[in-house]
């Protein structure tokens, strides 16, 4: 039933290109394509596209070959990631989009972004290919190769015309069963004694220096890590606020080494979708260390709501991450690190060390990191 359908052709092209992970978010026009991809290629359903850009970047850094398959509106949700992460670090990412807003589009909310997408992508310096009909499907293969060969993202705008008349099977909706949810959580947050710098030093002194990966958050945390101990297995974020844990997940999926992520409180709250993905795809080699100074430390210690409203450990638990722990001291933190807890919530004071700039370009950080992973 699926042979010779346009959807099968797309899957064949993905397989020919040795794609090993597809990060997806649905569009009505690709409701037959997505389940077919999921049956053939390891698929990570997303809750927001920007999070997918981070996960796919991690997969690529771990020497994998990811694609994204999304609705074209999702490009609007990920434009900063495409520029500050993919273009800046030269990380390839083929993005197959169901191009809405142009062909037989009755939903008015699709028009504004959909019609302007080619101009937006061109102005952003993001390579794109328009595929109007099934006859042009081979251009998908060319676009995927172009993305990996030139180490940049490539958006493929696929017209709904391609799928018209397809006989590709659309699965029945799943059966929803009853389920119990139970959470008993009670915790005391003590007045902080540690600084972020001390917490990062504890991480560096506890992990396996020769084997383990550290992915560190943008701004001062990366600079502090660089100053404490620069190593080739450190991946320093220079921007893309919120994506550090997503990148860590992508790496953990594609690597055997243990991945330690240094995240913040502000950054985690910008992309709680990362926690949902981590809860959904549990790995045994990923530890998220959320260093919570109750503020946006890198931009001048403006308060976040972790002091008054949200407990990040509870947020992690609510996202399906079971093995969580709170750390107030160096001893708490090193014990949690030694047992490789999935999520460590570290309570620290809002203090920034005075550190120099990291003297590497994004591309240098990426290249030496990827080289070190191969050793
Ligand atoms: C989308 C976006 N908005 C705002 C910023 C500015 N910015 C850079 S670092 C940062 C604070 C990050 O805070 P947190 O994650 O809590 O880490 P901390 O610096 O406190 O360790 C902000 C707001 C940014 N880089 N990107």
């Amino acid at each position: 039933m699926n042979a010779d359908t346009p959807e099968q052709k797309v899957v064949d092209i993905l397989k020919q290109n040795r794609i090993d992970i597809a990060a997806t978010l649905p569009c009505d026009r690709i409701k037959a394509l997505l389940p077919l991809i999921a049956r053939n290629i390891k698929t990570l359903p997303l809750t927001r596209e920007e999070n997918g850009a981070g996960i796919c970047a991690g997969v690529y850094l771990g020497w994998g070959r990811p694609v994204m398959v999304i609705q074209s509106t999702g490009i609007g949700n990920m434009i900063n990631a495409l520029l500050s992460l993919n273009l800046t670090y030269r990380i390839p990412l083929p993005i197959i989009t169901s191009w809405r807003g142009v062909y037989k589009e009755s939903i008015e909310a699709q028009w504004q972004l959909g019609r302007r997408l080619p101009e937006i992508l061109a102005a952003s310096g993001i390579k794109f290919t328009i595929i109007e009909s099934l006859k042009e499907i081979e251009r998908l293969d060319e676009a995927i190769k172009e993305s990996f060969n030139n180490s940049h993202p490539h958006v493929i705008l696929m017209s709904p015309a391609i799928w018209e008349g397809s006989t590709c099977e659309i699965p029945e909706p799943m059966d929803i069963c009853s389920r119990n949810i139970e959470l008993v959580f009670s915790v005391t947050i003590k007045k902080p004694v540690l600084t972020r710098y001390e917490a990062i030093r504890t991480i560096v002194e506890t992990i396996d220096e020769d084997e383990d990966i550290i992915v560190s958050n943008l701004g001062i945390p990366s600079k502090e890590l660089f100053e404490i101990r620069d190593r080739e297995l450190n991946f320093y974020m220079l921007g893309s606020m919120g994506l550090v844990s997503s990148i860590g997940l992508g790496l953990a999926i594609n690597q055997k080494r243990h991945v330690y992520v240094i995240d913040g409180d502000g950054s985690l709250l910008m992309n709680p979708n990362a926690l949902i993905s981590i809860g959904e795809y549990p790995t045994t080699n990923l530890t998220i260390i959320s260093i919570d100074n109750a503020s946006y430390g890198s931009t001048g210690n403006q308060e976040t709501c972790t002091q008054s409203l949200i407990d990040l450990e509870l947020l992690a638990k609510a996202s399906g991450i079971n093995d969580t722990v709170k750390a107030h001291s160096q001893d708490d933190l090193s014990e949690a690190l030694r047992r490789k807890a999935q999520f460590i919530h570290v309570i620290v004071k809002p203090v920034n060390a005075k550190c120099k700039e990291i003297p590497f370009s994004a591309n240098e950080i990426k290249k030496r990191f990827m080289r070190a992973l191969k050793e």
Side-chain angles (χ1 to χ4, degrees), residues 199-207 214 262 289 291 333 337:
I200 294 177
R201 197 174 53 205
T202 304
I203 296 167
V204 168
E205 286 170 357
T206 310
I207 66 158
I214 302 179
I262 298 174
I289 308 147
I291 304 186
L333 177 55
L337 290 165

Side-chain angles (χ1 to χ4, degrees), residues 247-264:
I247 293 176
L249 173 61
L251 273 162
I253 288 171
N254 230 44
Q255 274 286 318
K256 291 206 170 57
R257 291 173 196 264
H258 201 87
V259 181
Y260 292 93
V261 171
I262 298 174
D263 209 333

